[in-house]
Amino acid sequence: MSDDTSHPVTLSREENNVEKSNVEIQTLSKRQRKKLLKHQKWEEERELRKQKRKERKQQRRLDRQTQCEDGAEWAASSRKRLRREHPPSSLRLVVDCSFDSLMSLKDVRKLHRQIQRCYAENRRASQPAQFYLTSLGGQLQHNMDETDKGWVNWKDITIKTEHYKDVLGKEELVYLTSDSPNVLTELDQAKAYVIGGLVDHNHHKGLTFERAKELGIEHAQLPLSSFVKMNSRKVLAVNHVFEIILAYLEKGDWKEAFFAVLPQRKGAKSLEQGGQAAQEDQDSDEESDAAQKPQSALRTAD
């Protein structure tokens, strides 16, 4: 005789989860169910999307390889022509970073950006200079490590922790400073021109000039006053001095070099030959001062 006693049906864990999920779905609102189903579909298609991204990436790689193969010969010959037409200059430009302790962190960051600009401009210059960065350390190096880790892979630059006087011969050095009485008229390819890496907002006026005298090395200023009248002070940013020299190496003309680089905010205006414009400005200033003297005297009397 068969046993008619019924036995309870046991469900697997997966079946329980599905049943529970179905119950939960039924309790959801129409909007919630739609959102949940959309999410489930998105999850189900995850692998498909991943595969499609992989295929697109492979196709882009193949396209780039094809383009490179087609243009490799032309690009190589173009680079060779460029090197033959514009050989690198033997002139050396040195950014002296020995003023680290005199600057705030904000100014150190500005100097870092100026050095980045020097490096970029030198890399793309038609006649790049031999670029030196000396006395690197302290706040500047720490900031470079934090914000520009790729600097350790920079090419065509000599970076030293030593002072420039310990890297280059004393007789080769010329410190560029606006306080020098000597005006630079030509660039000597055998010289190394030092640019003070100092952002100080005129807090340490004349410091680079004094350092040059202390070390007994040559010093000079760019011939800015011979070609340009400026509304602001003559002290230029590190990258401006660097770029002006690069422009002069390319153009062979100081005036063209200055106006190719100086920012408009400096209010740079061309001087006429022989400093005529400067004399006219001086005469105009004197006339203006003379006209204002009676009014000044009246105010004093009051």
Side-chain angles (χ1 to χ4, degrees), residues 203-250:
H203 296 154
H204 300 282
K205 188 175 180 180
L207 180 60
T208 54
F209 179 44
E210 292 301 323
R211 289 281 178 89
K213 289 195 297 183
E214 289 172 6
L215 293 172
I217 63 175
E218 289 184 49
H219 47 78
Q221 62 169 292
L222 296 180
L224 187 66
S225 299
S226 301
F227 300 95
V228 183
K229 179 192 174 185
M230 296 174 62
N231 293 337
S232 60
R233 60 192 183 129
K234 291 193 301 179
V235 179
L236 303 176
V238 171
N239 61 292
H240 290 155
V241 178
F242 197 101
E243 291 172 49
I244 286 169
I245 293 179
L246 289 180
Y248 180 78
L249 288 173
E250 178 184 350

Side-chain angles (χ1 to χ4, degrees), residues 259-276:
F259 285 98
V261 174
L262 291 176
Q264 292 183 352
R265 69 175 183 275
K266 289 284 187 179
K269 297 179 181 179
S270 176
L271 291 181
E272 296 179 6
Q273 292 182 353
Q276 180 179 346

Side-chain angles (χ1 to χ4, degrees), residues 70-85:
D70 292 341
E73 185 176 349
W74 176 86
S77 61
S78 297
R79 286 194 295 271
K80 289 178 182 177
R81 286 198 301 272
L82 182 62
R83 291 192 188 102
R84 284 197 297 269
E85 292 170 3

Side-chain angles (χ1 to χ4, degrees), residues 94-107:
V94 184
V95 176
D96 170 21
C97 303
S98 64
F99 305 98
D100 191 86
S101 61
L102 300 177
M103 292 184 288
S104 66
L105 180 57
K106 180 180 179 181
D107 288 339

